[in-house]
């Protein structure tokens, strides 16, 4: 299932970002700590050039702490990139962002000139909540669903720093199907745009392979089912999601699994590692080359028939 969800305001915002970038000193990209790679916008890497970038791993209280450290080390290998893992339960960590901005732009800080930053992030990544904590007041509208922020805002957060806030941006086509599933699993894509059973099945398979003990503890399953279908059947029976005749109501089970996963009640789960993403990028490049070869062959066939 390819994820394609690109509301009109996102297209408008991406054009505005390209126009405003020359005035920006530093880019702040808010990532979901559970999916640091899949929640990166490819547009940022293309447009950033040599501008310094702070990657904030939000919702780190929901992510596997060991894997968060792995990701911070991995991301900071790139020139000009620093990371900060945060959670809204510890606002003092979020406020370290101002100090980090000054460290990354010492010349600006020394001259007392304003530091203009562009803050970006996918929908529902916690960007607006973070802005409100930095500003010390309610500035950005927050909501527990994607696509709340619709327009750009300029926000002074003190300490000589201005944030240019942008709407949550997804890109037109998520090429890596696993990244698409991860975005849907964590709630970056509106539930009206996804198939709950497909997404929950993806999540169930991942949990069986990487976090089996969480499943045993949360759903009181012993022994643990071997396949994602068996797991969802077992959860349905455990939670009473049954239709007449004793059949499990899979859509209901899917919604329960996704809701508890997103809330962190199943456990602190990270859905990708640096090694996993490097392998998927290799596989994606092979797919791209195969598509390009097929397209070229079709063109040659078309030319030969005319």
């Amino acid at each position: 299932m390819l994820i394609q969800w690109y509301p009109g305001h996102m297209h408008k915002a991406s054009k505005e970002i390209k126009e405003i970038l020359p005035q920006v000193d530093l880019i702040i990209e808010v990532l979901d700590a559970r999916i640091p790679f899949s929640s990166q916008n490819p547009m940022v890497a293309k447009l950033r050039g040599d501008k310094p970038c702070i990657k904030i791993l939000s919702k780190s209280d929901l992510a596997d702490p060991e894997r968060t450290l792995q990701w911070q080390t991995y991301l900071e290998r790139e020139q000009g990139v620093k990371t900060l893992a945060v959670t809204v339960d510890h606002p003092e960590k979020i406020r370290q962002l101002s100090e980090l901005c000054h460290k990354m732009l010492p010349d600006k800080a020394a001259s007392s000139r304003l530091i203009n930053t562009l803050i970006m992030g996918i929908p529902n990544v916690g960007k607006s909540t973070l802005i409100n904590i930095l500003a010390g007041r309610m500035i950005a509208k927050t909501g527990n669903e994607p696509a709340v922020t619709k327009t750009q805002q300029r926000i002074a957060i003190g300490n000589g720093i201005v944030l240019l806030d942008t709407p949550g941006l997804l890109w037109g086509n998520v090429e890596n199907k696993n990244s698409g599933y991860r975005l849907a699993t964590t709630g970056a894509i509106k539930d009206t745009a996804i198939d709950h059973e497909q997404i929950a099945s993806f999540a169930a398979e991942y949990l069986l392979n990487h976090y089996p003990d969480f499943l045993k503890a949360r759903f009181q399953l012993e022994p643990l089912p071997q396949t994602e279908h068996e797991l969802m059947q077992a959860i349905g029976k455990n939670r009473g999601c049954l239709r007449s005749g004793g059949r499990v109501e899979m859509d209901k089970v899917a919604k329960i699994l996704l809701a508890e996963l997103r809330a962190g009640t199943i456990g602190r789960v990270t859905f990708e590692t640096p090694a996993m993403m490097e392998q998927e990028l290799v596989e994606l490049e092979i797919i791209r080359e195969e598509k390009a070869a097929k397209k070229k062959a079709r063109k040659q066939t078309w030319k030969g028939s005319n």
Side-chain angles (χ1 to χ4, degrees), residues 128-186:
S128 295
T129 302
L130 186 143
I131 289 170
N132 292 336
I133 290 171
L134 287 170
R137 60 195 189 281
M138 185 65 72
I139 295 286
K141 186 179 177 184
T142 62
N144 195 26
E145 67 169 37
V148 171
T149 305
K150 295 293 196 298
T151 57
Q152 289 187 3
Q153 306 177 75
R154 287 184 68 86
I155 302 156
I157 61 168
N159 206 17
I161 297 171
V162 174
L163 296 179
L164 176 63
D165 183 22
T166 62
L169 290 170
L170 277 177
W171 37 109
N173 179 19
V174 181
E175 281 188 283
N176 182 349
K177 67 175 183 178
N178 290 326
S179 286
Y181 279 119
R182 293 177 190 122
L183 287 162
T185 297
T186 53

Side-chain angles (χ1 to χ4, degrees), residues 5-202:
W5 187 63
Y6 202 65
H9 74 271
M10 291 188 184
H11 178 67
K12 178 173 177 283
S14 64
K15 288 177 66 178
E16 290 174 355
I17 286 168
K18 290 174 186 175
E19 291 170 4
I20 201 77
L21 264 177
Q23 304 166 37
V24 170
D25 301 306
L26 179 147
I27 292 172
I28 300 168
E29 186 174 19
V30 186
L31 308 176
D32 187 323
R34 298 167 295 178
I35 51 169
F37 181 87
S38 296
S39 57
Q40 288 186 114
N41 192 327
M43 185 178 74
V44 176
K46 287 180 182 177
L47 298 179
R48 182 167 76 87
D50 59 357
K51 289 184 189 294
C53 180
I54 299 172
K55 293 184 183 285
I56 296 179
L57 277 67
S58 76
K59 304 188 181 184
S60 61
D61 55 325
L62 300 177
D64 183 327
E66 288 185 16
R67 291 190 173 180
T68 296
L69 286 172
Q70 283 179 22
W71 273 109
Q72 288 188 267
T73 301
Y74 180 80
L75 292 169
E76 289 190 4
R77 294 191 313 178
E78 186 179 350
Q79 182 70 27
V81 171
K82 293 293 180 186
T83 63
L84 190 65
V86 303
T87 167
V88 294
D89 292 334
H90 294 282
E92 70 282 357
K93 190 78 181 283
I94 293 172
R95 294 190 188 102
Q96 291 177 15
L97 180 65
S98 294
E99 183 183 344
L100 188 53
C101 288
H102 282 281
K103 282 183 179 177
M104 294 187 75
L105 294 163
D107 292 342
K108 275 265 186 178
S111 66
S112 299
R113 288 181 294 166
L114 282 178
I115 295 174
N116 292 307
T117 69
L118 175 66
I119 187 164
M120 307 172 65
I122 62 169
N124 202 29
V125 78
K127 177 169 60 70
S128 295
T129 302
L130 186 143
I131 289 170
N132 292 336
I133 290 171
L134 287 170
R137 60 195 189 281
M138 185 65 72
I139 295 286
K141 186 179 177 184
T142 62
N144 195 26
E145 67 169 37
V148 171
T149 305
K150 295 293 196 298
T151 57
Q152 289 187 3
Q153 306 177 75
R154 287 184 68 86
I155 302 156
I157 61 168
N159 206 17
I161 297 171
V162 174
L163 296 179
L164 176 63
D165 183 22
T166 62
L169 290 170
L170 277 177
W171 37 109
N173 179 19
V174 181
E175 281 188 283
N176 182 349
K177 67 175 183 178
N178 290 326
S179 286
Y181 279 119
R182 293 177 190 122
L183 287 162
T185 297
T186 53
I189 296 166
K190 280 191 175 182
D191 279 349
T192 52
I194 67 171
D195 180 316
H196 289 96
E197 286 185 47
Q198 264 192 301
I199 301 305
S201 180
F202 171 85

Side-chain angles (χ1 to χ4, degrees), residues 236-248:
K237 289 171 184 174
N238 180 293
R239 294 294 179 88
C241 305
L242 301 173
R243 292 176 176 169
S244 57
R247 287 187 302 118
V248 172

Side-chain angles (χ1 to χ4, degrees), residues 273-287:
T273 64
M276 190 187 301
M277 296 316 305
E278 288 193 347
Q279 178 59 36
E280 288 183 14
L281 286 174
V282 169
E283 292 167 1
L284 182 59
E285 190 55 39
I286 292 169
I287 291 169

Side-chain angles (χ1 to χ4, degrees), residues 283-295:
E283 292 167 1
L284 182 59
E285 190 55 39
I286 292 169
I287 291 169
R288 284 175 182 155
E289 288 172 1
E290 288 174 350
K291 282 183 179 178
K294 286 178 182 177
K295 187 176 179 181

